[in-house]
Amino acid sequence: MTKSRTASRSLAGACLCAFGVVFSPLAMAAPEGTLVVAVNQEPQDLAAQGAYKEINATGLRNVMETLIAVDPQTGGLIPVLATAWERVDGNTLRFTIREGVTFHDGTPMTAEAVATSINWVWSPDNAFTIQEYAGPGTISAAALDESTVEVTSDQADPLLEFRMSLGGISSAEQLANSPEKHFDTPVGTGPYRFNEWARGQYWDATYNEDWWGLSAEDAYGTTAPDFAALKFVFRSEDAARAAMVQSGEAQIAMFPSASECERAVDEDGYACVTGPSTTYLYGRLDHSLHADMLLQDPRIREAVFLSLDIDGIAGLYGMASVPQGQLGARGTIGFNENVGPYDYDPERAMELLAEAEADGQDISGLNIEVVGRDTTPRIKPIVEAIGAMLGSVGIGTDIRVQTPQEFNPRVRIAGYANEPGRQMMQVHVKQNPSGDYGLLLLSNYACPNIDDPTGPSRSSVYCDEEFDSSLFEAMASFGDDRDQSMQELVQYVHDRHLIVPLALLDRGYLVEDGIEFVFGTDHRIQAVYVDKVE
Amino acid sequence: MAYLIKRIVNSAIILFLTVSFVFFAGRLIGDPALNMLGPGASDVALENLRRAAGLNDPILIQYFRYVVNLLSGDFGISYRYGFSVLPSERLSEIGQPVIDIVLERLPATFFLAAAAMGFAVPIGVFMGVTAAAYPRSAADRIVTVLSLAGVSIVQFWLGLMLIVFFAVQLGWLPTGGYGEWQHVILPALTLAARPIGRIAQVTRSAVLEELAKPYIMTAHAKGVPVNRVVYLHSLKNAAIPIVTMIGDELSALLTGAILVEKIFAWPGIGLLIIDSLSRSDLPLIQASIVVVAALVVCVNLLVDLAYRLLNPRIRFGKTEA
Amino acid sequence: MDTNSIELEARKDARDVRVTGSDYLRAILKDRVALAASIFLVILVVFTLGAEFFAPHRPMGLNLRDGLLPPFSSGSKGEFYLLGTDELGRDIFSRLIYGARVSVSVGLIGAGLSCLLGVTMGLTAGYRGGLYEDIVMRLVDGMLSLPSLLVALFVLFVLGGGFVNLILVFSVLHWMVFARMARGLALDARTATYVQAAKSLGTTEIRIVFYHILPNVAAPIIVLLTLEIAILILSEASLSFLGFGVQPPDPSWGLMIADGREHIRSAWWLVTFPGLAIFLTALSLNLLANWVRAVTDPVQRWRWITAS
């Protein structure tokens, strides 16, 4: 098994910070200095919905808070802007809103404002990218009284709590009066106030002395804010981010490459900490829809899978572990212990291809297009390696790394429905922060609906009515039933060689000495989890 | 005067052709409404946007509108710079005009170009004069090879090497970024390599030419020290081709800055162009190209006019071969 | 005789002497810098033509166990890697040789096509004159004042990258310098005696332009061609580096630099060698162009070709 060479060291580090510091509102020093974080990409926007995905809007959660959040230390849900919540029925959650909270623009956070914000973020008309975590139902919210908000999905939804930990709550006043500012001037309730977004350079925020968490018993975080200001500097080069931490220009550098992480061991002044994430790397091979007939021959599909040295690919990625023949990690509801990793057996692959050829399949017509998106870290060597591996068993390949503009339409139903029968393997990363196989199976294997091009399974290429009906049944169920039926579905898709899981990614940070940083599997950079230590 | 007018008209025609090219080439990429909203957009949203942005009109009408809008400084609304999805009926309300984004980035690029010239002019002139003062000596040969090296080097590679050496190994300068004086040194040096080479070459041949003239010989005969002859008399008279070359290189700098800004995370127009290309933000790409092209054409025009003003041998009103 | 008059004599002699190939050969042997440049270019061309023969390893051969080996190291099966390996365990030296094929052919074909286009336009414009000349020369002036790398970037963004598109874009964006020079030369030649003579014999215009004028203006055009090849090799590297040029897995020098960037702090050889290859190629071309310019210049020729 290929495992990160730095993982053991860093996991120990992460645990140390996780349990080493206990938050106490009394032990508060005045915040000073600036926490500079070198991040790998500039956000497209800083809209409230962006709080759901740290990679798209790194650091936004310091400004914009959610109703509830996932505790990075325990993985459980903790109160943030809601002090309590209860489930009314399968479709409905009721939140008690924290009192006395004000937005950074001075307007009070009323139940009405919270409902407005939730409706804005989850509106299907807005079609924000957060929709990838909506569905199958449509989510809406209403204020019941001054301190209660009710959130409803139009379909039974066991994951509604999780979804409510995603979207940021932003000022309703801003949405009403200056909606154009919503996208680049976030107004939230968090411990830091947005200051400026210098395009192409950085965005920054200053300490909010009126933050509710300073006086609340149940405030989240390992510490009160230690820094007077935060600055997120955009630097796409791995080497440049690492050099920034090494030279003291930054305190934290996001997502170093494996070689930079290894280097940190030999260097003074900073360390590399890594931890598992919910991000997985996979190769999706065209199947039912608009796929070349050759790819519907099970022997050819198996041959493709057998020709891939998955250990080698995970090793190439660097900080990653080898998946167990499925897209989720152990601990996810629905994880099937009995499913094993796909074998690497090029000889068997060649035999299978020869068998298929003997049956009249035109193997020379097999030319798989291996496509990655240029925003995925380290995608180029991985795509090139897959191309070479397929080539070594005699499968023709074209390899491509495309911009999101070219790539996205080719992956989603609305775009690829227009392509002629093709042989494409999409190599991509996705996240599954829900701790449950439901969303993962839905988004990867359920038959996409051409009439609903923003639907959650828009980027699936698999259509199987039997599978779909079992899946929808499983997704509406709770408890052991849910776990058991999802496990069966995991085995089912494994045997059909639909998507090859390539790696479960660890992600890491270069952290300056004297700083301790706690993060969960969702990898959020929040100043209240960053401590200055002696 | 006639030449001046002809030259300006010519530049205007070229810019107009550039604008037309950028408009029609942009349409080759595909449906602009789909580009804007992404493949997930519903038909209703697409139709709303087409109506709001006038994309249903005949292409020539749209082209005419585009040109007229450009003349009034309206380059359109950025697709994505500022938000990922926009409710199309509120396009003009929420969208950010691309020209604002482009103009915001220009000062950083100007600053970088000026700093690069700040390195290039003294170094290049010094090298050229040194070579001319001792023709066919070892110094001359070294200057020749060095100046050719300057124009042969891959700028982005040089930038990476400078980062490795000065920022990573020695830790003297930051790896990139913007704001303090330290940030400008490495990108400016990277960008200066080529103009140093060109200026050194031109200076060398211009000074050599001057040195061969009778007035220098006379000064020499009168016993004026060689150094003063070389550095003052000849340089002053050799200034015309050098100034022309500097102007010429200035327009090359504006495009050279694209890669250098990318390497050093310098938030100028080059970095903006790379970003907008990777985001396929068509209006932003088009505006950047038109603005940079206009700048380069203007610089070239000014250089050409300055050359004619400075150089008495070329008269206005007559195009030389 | 003092040195000045010797020089003058030599100049006069050189102008009158008919220069032969062996004179050039002797001249280049005397100039060590130009000699080194031409030797480098000859080796490069030989490697390019015989890449299959000279490359010690397959340029695309995957070998994940031997990733990121430094120069002069041995792989797990005892193979020798002269310049080290990249992260997929591919031999840098072999990839440089195959990359040369891409970079050199983009430079040669691109410059060749733009030369063909430019010289044709320039010669015909210079010879025929009139409105045609006016339009061509305005187009030349206008296109020369545009930022060509930026326009190339945009066109490749629209059309997509790749070898063929790259060459097409380069030919369309680089013909103007050839046209301007060819026209100037044609103007000079039009009045020259040998052209007048040909005309009086009733030779057709096309024949005059291509059989009489072209051979006599070849030297400066060759110099320009050499310089343009260098410029195009640099541009190819830049565009491939940005992802708009040659597409992987084809090795190109620009792509190799782009790939190695991530490891620049730990594996310097990934970026250093392809960068050096581009630099040395462009430098050699420039040095050679410089030399050709000097030896073919009738005024300077005496320095190189003297009856010593």
Side-chain angles (χ1 to χ4, degrees):
Chain A
M1 181 161 127
T2 312
K3 245 229 155 230
S4 157
R5 278 161 280 196
T6 48
S8 51
R9 164 197 159 81
S10 51
L11 277 180
C15 296
L16 189 83
C17 3
F19 301 111
V21 189
V22 178
F23 172 66
S24 148
L26 299 174
M28 231 167 56
E32 58 173 25
T34 303
L35 173 67
V36 180
V37 183
V39 307
N40 58 338
Q41 62 181 15
E42 180 165 12
Q44 293 205 3
D45 61 58
L46 291 171
Q49 71 108 11
Y52 86 102
K53 208 174 191 178
E54 181 76 0
I55 182 86
N56 284 11
T58 307
L60 184 59
R61 287 215 175 191
N62 294 288
V63 172
M64 192 84 73
E65 295 176 307
T66 48
L67 282 180
I68 50 181
V70 175
D71 187 331
Q73 295 165 31
T74 64
L77 290 171
I78 50 172
V80 182
L81 292 177
T83 50
W85 62 99
E86 58 171 338
R87 207 167 241 287
V88 180
D89 57 37
N91 300 40
T92 315
L93 282 176
R94 199 168 282 165
F95 291 93
T96 309
I97 301 303
R98 193 178 290 278
E99 281 173 26
V101 178
T102 51
F103 288 107
H104 296 151
D105 60 6
T107 56
M109 187 192 72
T110 60
E112 202 62 54
V114 170
T116 307
S117 191
I118 292 174
N119 285 328
W120 164 259
V121 165
W122 292 97
S123 151
D125 291 340
N126 278 343
F128 289 130
T129 50
I130 198 173
Q131 291 294 330
E132 67 178 302
Y133 292 135
T138 301
I139 294 169
S140 60
L144 292 189
D145 58 44
E146 274 169 27
S147 63
T148 315
V149 171
E150 195 168 271
V151 177
T152 318
S153 170
D154 62 3
Q155 291 185 32
D157 188 356
L159 294 181
L160 199 52
E161 288 91 344
F162 158 71
R163 301 188 215 271
M164 286 303 108
S165 73
L166 297 175
I169 304 293
S170 73
S171 164
E173 196 271 339
Q174 188 195 43
L175 280 181
N177 296 328
S178 43
E180 76 283 0
K181 291 223 166 101
H182 177 76
F183 297 93
D184 62 7
T185 312
V187 178
T189 53
Y192 290 85
R193 241 188 212 110
F194 173 80
N195 178 46
E196 185 200 5
W197 178 3
R199 305 291 168 126
Q201 303 177 58
Y202 62 85
W203 74 269
D204 66 355
T206 51
Y207 173 61
N208 172 16
E209 63 286 351
D210 301 326
W211 183 47
W212 59 267
L214 298 176
S215 53
E217 292 268 313
D218 58 347
Y220 61 98
T222 53
T223 171
D226 272 347
F227 301 91
L230 308 178
K231 190 169 179 182
F232 297 88
V233 181
F234 320 133
R235 206 53 65 78
S236 59
E237 317 277 317
D238 286 335
R241 289 199 303 280
M244 283 178 75
V245 170
Q246 195 173 5
S247 65
E249 278 178 73
Q251 281 69 56
I252 297 176
M254 211 171 150
F255 301 169
S257 64
S259 61
E260 288 297 348
C261 206
E262 261 168 55
R263 221 180 126 92
V265 179
D266 306 325
E267 302 275 351
D268 289 335
Y270 69 101
C272 179
V273 292
T274 63
S277 73
T278 58
T279 307
Y280 54 95
L281 177 76
Y282 64 91
R284 179 196 80 176
L285 189 59
D286 279 348
H287 187 273
S288 323
L289 285 169
H290 309 281
D292 191 292
M293 289 309 286
L294 281 172
L295 289 187
Q296 296 180 27
D297 184 322
R299 288 165 303 194
I300 292 178
R301 298 191 73 86
E302 195 179 347
V304 169
F305 278 45
L306 284 170
S307 67
L308 298 178
D309 174 5
I310 296 172
D311 280 19
I313 293 172
L316 188 59
Y317 205 94
M319 297 175 290
S321 55
V322 178
Q324 201 176 325
Q326 50 196 310
L327 296 173
R330 187 172 282 111
T332 312
I333 294 168
F335 181 82
N336 191 329
E337 200 65 64
N338 300 320
V339 170
Y342 285 108
D343 291 331
Y344 171 50
D345 189 346
E347 274 157 37
R348 176 79 190 123
M350 285 190 260
E351 279 170 33
L352 283 168
L353 289 174
E355 275 174 40
E357 190 155 33
D359 280 357
Q361 295 282 32
D362 175 22
I363 298 301
S364 62
L366 201 54
N367 191 43
I368 295 181
E369 190 189 353
V370 184
V371 187
R373 195 169 84 179
D374 63 5
T375 51
T376 308
R378 308 200 35 73
I379 190 68
K380 238 168 91 183
I382 290 188
V383 168
E384 286 195 41
I386 291 175
M389 287 168 185
L390 293 176
S392 69
V393 301
I395 300 175
T397 55
D398 277 329
I399 65 166
R400 298 210 161 86
V401 176
Q402 300 183 318
T403 62
Q405 193 70 13
E406 299 167 285
F407 179 88
N408 292 349
R410 310 202 54 209
V411 168
R412 297 178 187 164
I413 177 68
Y416 75 72
N418 299 321
E419 287 194 50
R422 62 176 198 188
Q423 307 172 7
M424 175 170 138
M425 179 185 271
Q426 173 215 10
V427 182
H428 199 44
V429 287
K430 270 190 194 169
Q431 281 174 291
N432 176 32
S434 64
D436 179 286
Y437 257 97
L439 282 175
L440 193 155
L441 292 170
L442 181 70
S443 63
N444 289 301
Y445 301 102
C447 189
N449 180 357
I450 183 81
D451 298 324
D452 179 16
T454 57
S457 54
R458 61 184 176 212
S459 62
S460 159
V461 287
Y462 183 57
C463 276
D464 178 342
E465 278 177 32
E466 196 187 329
F467 173 84
D468 285 0
S469 61
S470 317
L471 175 62
F472 287 112
E473 216 169 282
M475 285 191 66
S477 62
F478 291 75
D480 277 354
D481 273 359
R482 185 180 177 89
D483 191 23
Q484 203 51 48
S485 43
M486 298 245 175
Q487 285 200 31
E488 283 164 26
L489 292 170
V490 167
Q491 180 76 54
Y492 185 88
V493 293
H494 173 89
D495 296 343
R496 274 155 190 77
H497 298 98
L498 302 172
I499 295 179
V500 55
L502 296 171
L504 299 173
L505 307 191
D506 289 341
R507 291 207 140 144
Y509 305 88
L510 301 178
V511 181
E512 192 177 57
D513 289 351
I515 300 275
E516 273 188 354
F517 170 36
V518 178
F519 52 88
T521 52
D522 52 3
H523 288 258
R524 304 203 185 272
I525 300 181
Q526 285 177 274
V528 290
Y529 291 104
V530 179
D531 297 341
K532 289 180 190 165
V533 291
E534 289 310 310
Chain B
M1 205 58 208
Y3 176 79
L4 183 71
I5 291 168
K6 194 174 164 189
R7 193 74 178 75
I8 290 174
V9 168
N10 206 8
S11 302
I13 292 175
I14 278 299
L15 278 182
F16 174 72
L17 289 178
T18 309
V19 167
S20 315
F21 167 72
V22 157
F23 175 83
F24 288 107
R27 288 305 166 95
L28 285 179
I29 305 174
D31 180 2
L34 197 62
N35 267 336
M36 210 155 172
L37 296 184
S42 66
D43 289 346
V44 180
L46 284 173
E47 195 45 45
N48 280 343
L49 175 63
R50 287 198 192 103
R51 212 171 320 118
L55 294 171
N56 288 330
D57 299 336
I59 185 91
L60 284 178
I61 304 268
Q62 293 184 45
Y63 167 64
F64 180 72
R65 194 162 47 216
Y66 183 74
V67 174
V68 169
N69 284 344
L70 278 196
L71 290 177
S72 62
D74 176 6
F75 282 70
I77 303 288
S78 168
Y79 284 3
R80 285 187 188 74
Y81 211 82
F83 41 87
S84 41
V85 174
L86 67 172
S88 50
E89 63 279 7
R90 295 162 83 176
L91 178 65
S92 51
E93 179 191 346
I94 291 179
Q96 199 177 1
V98 287
I99 190 67
D100 292 358
I101 302 172
V102 173
L103 293 181
E104 191 183 86
R105 295 295 190 92
L106 275 183
T109 298
F110 286 157
F111 177 42
L112 181 58
M117 275 303 172
F119 283 119
V121 174
I123 297 177
V125 169
F126 175 77
M127 279 170 60
V129 170
T130 311
Y134 310 99
R136 292 192 298 287
S137 67
D140 185 17
R141 298 209 130 205
I142 292 172
V143 165
T144 303
V145 173
L146 275 184
S147 60
L148 288 178
V151 299
S152 305
I153 205 155
V154 201
Q155 280 180 339
F156 62 87
W157 180 72
L158 176 64
L160 289 170
M161 291 289 144
L162 290 177
I163 291 178
V164 169
F165 193 69
F166 289 103
V168 175
Q169 300 298 337
L170 298 175
W172 289 354
L173 293 163
T175 53
Y178 183 67
E180 315 281 322
W181 63 269
Q182 294 98 328
H183 287 117
V184 78
I185 294 180
L186 290 183
L189 273 179
T190 308
L191 212 46
R194 193 187 126 92
I196 286 177
R198 299 289 304 271
I199 291 172
Q201 283 170 340
V202 167
T203 307
R204 175 183 176 276
S205 55
V207 170
L208 271 181
E209 198 177 312
E210 286 299 319
L211 285 178
K213 288 190 177 157
Y215 76 96
I216 298 277
M217 302 287 190
T218 317
H220 200 185
K222 280 183 183 166
V224 180
V226 172
N227 268 348
R228 275 186 61 199
V229 175
V230 172
Y231 285 93
L232 290 179
H233 288 271
S234 59
L235 192 58
K236 205 163 72 189
N237 289 298
I240 297 167
I242 299 174
V243 168
T244 314
M245 175 54 67
I246 291 172
D248 219 32
E249 281 302 305
L250 206 57
S251 57
L253 276 188
L254 286 176
T255 43
I258 297 177
L259 282 136
V260 173
E261 287 182 1
K262 167 78 181 152
I263 298 286
F264 288 96
W266 185 269
I269 190 139
L271 191 63
L272 180 71
I273 288 171
I274 303 275
D275 282 352
S276 50
L277 280 173
S278 70
R279 287 176 181 175
S280 297
D281 191 339
L282 192 58
L284 191 48
I285 299 169
Q286 290 169 324
S288 314
I289 290 178
V290 170
V291 168
V292 173
L295 280 173
V296 170
V297 167
C298 286
V299 169
N300 282 326
L301 184 64
L302 288 178
V303 168
D304 196 32
L305 296 180
Y307 180 69
R308 271 149 213 282
L309 277 179
L310 286 172
N311 193 339
R313 276 168 295 188
I314 295 171
R315 275 166 295 128
F316 276 94
K318 176 178 173 288
T319 329
E320 40 65 86
Chain C
M1 256 195 284
D2 63 299
T3 44
N4 261 351
S5 51
I6 293 178
E7 222 174 88
L8 278 177
E9 278 303 304
R11 285 186 193 199
K12 231 172 96 194
D13 288 348
R15 251 185 249 194
D16 298 337
V17 163
R18 181 151 182 90
V19 187
T20 60
S22 65
D23 290 325
Y24 286 124
L25 193 67
R26 226 176 305 134
I28 201 163
L29 287 175
K30 271 201 288 184
D31 186 333
R32 267 170 300 170
V33 176
L35 185 65
S38 5
I39 291 176
F40 178 84
L41 290 174
V42 168
I43 294 177
L44 184 71
V45 169
V46 168
F47 269 22
T48 304
L49 293 176
E52 286 82 359
F53 183 72
F54 290 103
H57 300 273
R58 285 179 305 137
M60 324 272 196
L62 191 67
N63 187 0
L64 291 180
R65 307 287 170 272
D66 288 339
L68 294 181
L69 293 178
F72 300 109
S73 49
S74 306
S76 50
K77 297 192 199 85
E79 7 11 2
F80 177 67
Y81 295 112
L82 181 65
L83 300 181
T85 62
D86 68 5
E87 58 184 327
L88 298 179
R90 299 176 298 196
D91 179 38
I92 298 286
F93 183 57
S94 306
R95 286 179 72 73
L96 274 184
I97 293 178
Y98 277 90
R101 186 172 273 188
V102 173
S103 300
V104 169
S105 39
V106 167
L108 272 178
I109 303 176
L113 285 179
S114 40
C115 178
L116 204 65
L117 184 64
V119 168
T120 311
M121 301 279 271
L123 281 186
T124 46
Y127 188 78
R128 294 200 41 197
L131 183 65
Y132 174 71
E133 180 187 24
D134 210 36
I135 292 176
V136 169
M137 292 329 286
R138 279 199 186 201
L139 196 63
V140 166
D141 282 343
M143 284 186 75
L144 271 177
S145 66
L146 284 176
S148 75
L149 187 72
L150 187 57
V151 177
L153 203 59
F154 181 65
V155 175
L156 291 170
F157 164 74
V158 172
L159 296 180
F163 186 79
V164 176
N165 285 352
L166 208 53
I167 284 176
L168 288 180
V169 167
F170 281 157
S171 331
V172 173
L173 290 176
H174 286 262
W175 61 275
M176 298 86 68
V177 275
F178 291 103
R180 180 177 271 184
M181 170 175 273
R183 172 189 167 259
L185 296 169
L187 280 184
D188 290 346
R190 192 157 60 171
T191 51
T193 41
Y194 64 91
V195 174
Q196 298 298 336
K199 230 180 200 172
S200 62
L201 290 173
T203 320
T204 61
E205 281 191 1
I206 292 187
R207 235 188 120 76
I208 289 179
V209 167
F210 286 96
Y211 280 74
H212 296 271
I213 298 185
L214 189 60
N216 283 288
V217 300
I221 289 179
I222 288 173
V223 171
L224 193 60
L225 185 67
T226 318
L227 293 175
E228 275 300 303
I229 295 174
I231 290 175
L232 290 193
I233 288 178
L234 294 179
S235 305
E236 182 275 325
S238 301
L239 291 168
S240 296
F241 178 77
L242 290 175
F244 291 97
V246 177
Q247 299 299 307
D250 290 344
S252 118
W253 291 341
L255 270 181
M256 288 174 75
I257 298 180
D259 288 349
R261 206 158 39 135
E262 187 175 316
H263 301 283
I264 193 162
R265 277 155 50 95
S266 45
W268 53 270
W269 56 94
L270 296 185
V271 164
T272 308
F273 294 126
L276 271 179
I278 303 173
F279 172 59
L280 289 177
T281 308
L283 181 60
S284 302
L285 287 166
N286 272 309
L287 286 168
L288 201 64
N290 219 22
W291 180 82
V292 173
R293 188 167 21 205
V295 296
T296 55
D297 181 347
V299 182
Q300 280 202 24
R301 188 182 281 163
W302 62 274
R303 260 183 214 144
W304 313 97
I305 301 170
T306 44
S308 55

